[in-house]
Amino acid sequence: MASSTLRALLGALSLTFLAAATAAPLAPVRTVEGITEYRLPNGLQVLLAPDASKPTTTVNVTYRVGSKHENYGETGMAHLLEHLIFKGTPKHPNVWADFAKRGLAANGTTWFDRTNYYASFSANPDTLKWYLGWQADAMVNSFIAKKDLDTEMTVVRNEMEMGENSPGNIVFERLFATMFQWHNYAKSTIGARTDVENVDIGRLQAFYRLHYQPDNATLIVTGQFDPAQTLGWIQSSFGPLKKSPRPRPKLYTLDPVQDGERSVTVRRTGGTPSATVAYHVPASSHPDFAAVELITLLMTEAPSGRLHKRLVEDQKIASGVSGFAAALAEPGALLLGADTQPGGDPEALSKAMLPVVEGVAAQPFTQAELDRAKTRWLNRWDKLFGDPQQVGTALSEAIAAGDWRLFFLLRDRVKAATLADVNRVASERLLPANRTLALYVPTEKPERAPKPETVDVAAQLKAFVPQAAQVSAAAFDTRPAAIESATQRLSLPSGTRLALLPKPTRGGQVSGRATLRFGNLDALRGQRATTDLLAMVLDKGTLTLDRQQLRDRLDALKVELQIVSGTSVVSVGWTTTREHAAEASALVLQMLREPRLDAAVLEEMRAQSLTGLDASKDEPEAIAGNTLNRLRNAHPEGDPRNERTFDAMRAELQAVTLDGVRNAHRRLYGPQALTLAMVGDFDAGAVRAAVEKGVAPWSGALAHERLPEPYQDFPAADLRLRTPDKQNATVMVALSVPLNDSDPQYAALTLADYILGSNTDSRLWVRIREREGLSYGTYSSIDWSTFEPASTWVFGAIFAPQNRPRVEKALKEEFARALKDGFTAQELTNAKRALLNYRRLSRAQDGGLAGSLAQQSYLGRTMARTAEVDAQIEAATLQQVNDALRRHLRLDAMQIVWAGDFKDEAAGAK
C-alpha cells in the first residue's frame, strides 16, 4: 500500500497532468500578413504561417544565441553546440538516422546573432508531431557528451578546413577581424582552431543550459498543417518545459567610431586576385538600414550598378563585382568587392573602386537608379515571401535582430526610401575614415561617421501597419496520377512540346522551364566553349531590347532567371507571377530566339569564364573531378563529349569569336527540340498562345541528334594528386554500371546506393562522419543514363589531408562489409520510406516539377513512369537489393582520385 506521502505525490502529479491535458487554447498575441504569434507561459514564442498551396511543412526553431555570445576561449562554441544537438537525447539517440527514415530535409546553421534548426518534409501530421517532440526534447535533454564532442570536434575542424580552402571565405574573416576592434563580430562563427580543439565540455554544457531555453527561442511552422492541431502539439511538447531560472547576460559592447582607414592583406595559394572594401553601418533594425540594402544594389547589380559599369564594362579591370549588407542585431557592415581580370593587380583595382564607392557625395544617385534598385529588391522579397519553405528561415534573421516583424518593416522602409535618404546614408557611411581595405592610407583630416547606437525596436514598430494577408491557396495533390490528370501536354507544329500544370499557389507564383537541345556530333565538334559563352549572353539583351532594357523588362514582369548549359543543351528556368506568366514565357523565347550577341558583353562573359577557370584550377575538388573525368574519357580531342584539361579550356575560351557565337546560334538554336513546362497559378490558354506565337517565326536550325554515350568499362585507377597549401582534401570514386533508368534493376540499385552512401543514416556517413569524425560530408549517387545502359556510380568525401589513410580504410571496409553481409531488412524498410518521402517532397517543388515535366516531354514519358518507379521501390525485396549491390559494386573496376596537400605521401599512382 502506498504511503500517505506517496499518495499525496501521486495526487499532485495527477492534477499536473490533468491541468496540462485541459490547458486552455492559447490566444494569439498578434497576426501580421498571415503569420500569427503565440506565447507559451514558459516564454516560448510561436509563429504559425499556414499555407496549403504546397504539400510540404517546414519547422524552424531559432535560438537567440550565436557566436557574439561566446567568451574568451569559447569561440566556435555556438557552432559546435549546433553539431552536438544532432547527437541526440536519451529519448532520441540517433537523430540523423531518424531524419533519414522519415525523409526530412533537415539541418542547422549558426551565425553571429542566432542559431537555428530546421526541417522540411512532405506534409504529414505524424512527422510534424514527431519533429516537434524532438525539438522540445533537444532543447533541454541533449546529451552534450564528451564522447560525442571528441568525434564531432574533428568534423567541425574538417568544416573549418573546408572554409580555409576558400580565399573569399578567408578574406571575409580577416576583414571582419580588422574592422571590429571590441565587438565579437570580429570573431568568425566557425571559431579559432585552438578553441574548437580544446573546448571544455563543462563550459559547453553550461553554455547549452544557459541559452537553450524556451524563453530564448522562437518556434516557426510554415506550409501545410492544421494550426489548431499543431498548436496543441506544441503545447503538449514544449509546454512542460520550465522557463530558465537563470537570467542571461545583456550584451552592451559597441565599437567606437572608426578613426582611420584600416587594411589587411591575405596571401594564399590559388584563387583570383580581388579587392574588398567594408564600411560600418547601422543595425538592421535601424531606419537607415533600408538605404544600406539599396546602396548594395546601386553599386553592384549588373548592368546598371556603378561598380559594375566602371570596373567591368568601362575600364575592364574587373571580371565581376559583388556586394553584401550584413543584417545584424547590432551595428554591422556593408561589403563591396571585385575580382580582377586574370593576372590583374588587386591594389590597382582597389584604387579604381574607391572613387566610385566614396564619390556619392560628389555624384549622388539618381531617381532612375534608385527606382531600379527598389524594384529589384522588392521583387526578390516578394519571391521569398511567396515560398513557405523560405519564410521560416528568413524570419530567423529578423528574430535575431529583435523582432520578427522587422522582416516586414524592412520591406516597408525600402518602399518608402527617398533619394535624399539613400544619398544621405551613402555620404555619411562611405567615408575613408570608416573604411577597411587591403591598404592603409593616412588621412590628414578624417571625417567621422555617425556614432553607433542601439535601437528601440518597440519604438520603431509603433507606426508599423501590416499589409493585408495573402489569400490562402488550395492544397496540391502530389500523387503522380493526380499531377498527370492536371497536366496539359501539347505538341506544336514547330516540334516544340509543352507541359502545362495550372494550380493555385501562394501569391500567384509560377515556375517555368524551357530546355533547348541542339546540334549533332559533327556540328558540335570543337564548339563547347562557343556554346557555353552563347548560353551566358542569352539574358544580356535581345535584338529589340538592349541589356538594361531587358533587365528592366524582366524586373517589370517579376522574372528571376537561371540559365544552365551543357554539351548539347541549354535550359532556362524562371519564376514569375500569374499576371505576367504569358508575357514572361514570350520574353524567354525571345531571348532564346533573338539574343543580342554584343561584342562587349561577349568579352565580359569570356573574362568571367577565365576568372572562374583560374579560381578552380587550384582547388582539390575541381582538380579531382577533372582528372576523374579524363580517366573515364573515351573520346578524341574536339569531340563535344571529350573532357578537356584546364589549359585546353582556357585556350578554347580565348579562341571564341563573336562571328563564331553568332553562327552557332543561327545553326544550332531552333524550336524543333524545345520543351517548355510551367507549373503554378497561370492561364494555360494564354501561355499556350504566347508560346505558339513565340516559336512561329523561328526556324532554320540543324535537326538535333542526341550524342550517344555507349557503355565502357574503363581501366581501374587509384591516383593521388598534390594540391599544396590546401587544408581540405577530397576523394572521388567512379564506377561504370551497365544499366539505364528503365532497367528492372533500377529501383533495387537506387535503394542499395541510398543505404550505402547517399543519406545521413547511410553506411558511409555513419562510419566516416558520425563514428570516426573524419569528414564534414560523404556522398554517393548514381548518374543514371536514360538511353544507353551506361550509368555511373560515384562516391566521395572531403577530409583533412592527414586523415587520408583512415578515410581509405573506412571506404574499403564498408564496401567489403556491404558485399559480404549485405543490407538488413530494417535498413531496407527505412530506405524505402525515406526515398518515397523525398520523391513526394520533390514533386511539391514547383521549379523541380517543371523540370521533370519538361524532361518527360523530351523522353515521351508521363507521370505514369513516376508512379511505376514508386511502386518498384515499394515492392523491392531485400534479396533484389543485395543482388544488385553485389552485381554492380565491383571494387576492381573503380577509378579513384585523391587530391590534397598530402605532405607525407608521394603523389602519383598508388
Side-chain angles (χ1 to χ4, degrees), residues 146-204:
K146 182 67 167 65
K147 65 179 181 63
D148 293 328
L149 174 61
D150 291 340
T151 58
E152 201 63 21
M153 179 274 291
T154 56
V155 170
V156 172
R157 188 172 60 189
N158 186 224
E159 183 179 358
M160 181 186 299
E161 291 152 352
M162 178 176 64
E164 289 282 332
N165 273 13
S166 167
N169 185 67
I170 297 303
V171 167
F172 181 89
E173 288 187 5
R174 301 297 184 266
L175 198 58
F176 265 57
T178 307
M179 186 176 190
F180 291 96
Q181 184 178 4
W182 303 109
H183 199 282
N184 261 7
Y185 287 162
K187 298 171 183 174
S188 168
T189 301
I190 198 73
R193 176 183 287 266
T194 52
D195 286 0
V196 171
E197 291 176 339
N198 298 285
V199 62
D200 177 77
I201 187 63
R203 293 175 73 178
L204 188 59

Side-chain angles (χ1 to χ4, degrees), residues 8 36 38 64 92 99 130 211 380 636 722 736 799 817:
T36 303
Y38 301 87
R64 295 170 185 82
H92 300 91
F99 290 169
W130 179 88
H211 295 288
R380 288 171 177 169
R722 286 287 302 277
S736 296
F799 52 90
R817 182 166 72 96

Side-chain angles (χ1 to χ4, degrees), residues 88-106:
T89 70
K91 185 178 178 181
H92 300 91
N94 299 302
V95 176
W96 284 118
D98 287 335
F99 290 169
K101 292 170 187 173
R102 290 170 171 81
L104 272 68

Side-chain angles (χ1 to χ4, degrees), residues 538-608:
L538 289 175
D539 62 346
K540 306 301 187 297
T542 70
L543 292 183
T544 58
L545 298 171
D546 66 24
R547 187 175 184 179
Q548 186 62 63
Q549 289 170 334
L550 177 58
R551 179 67 267 167
D552 291 345
R553 185 61 179 154
L554 289 167
D555 286 339
L557 297 179
K558 296 189 174 182
V559 172
E560 292 292 335
L561 280 177
Q562 182 180 32
I563 299 177
V564 179
S565 66
T567 305
S568 61
V569 63
V570 61
S571 182
V572 183
W574 72 94
T575 60
T576 184
T577 54
R578 176 180 174 82
E579 66 272 21
H580 302 305
E583 290 180 279
S585 301
L587 187 58
V588 168
L589 291 174
Q590 183 186 1
M591 290 161 50
L592 289 168
R593 188 182 69 246
E594 302 173 346
R596 180 166 284 253
L597 305 182
D598 179 78
V601 172
L602 178 63
E603 292 308 313
E604 180 184 332
M605 296 303 104
R606 189 201 312 271
Q608 286 188 12

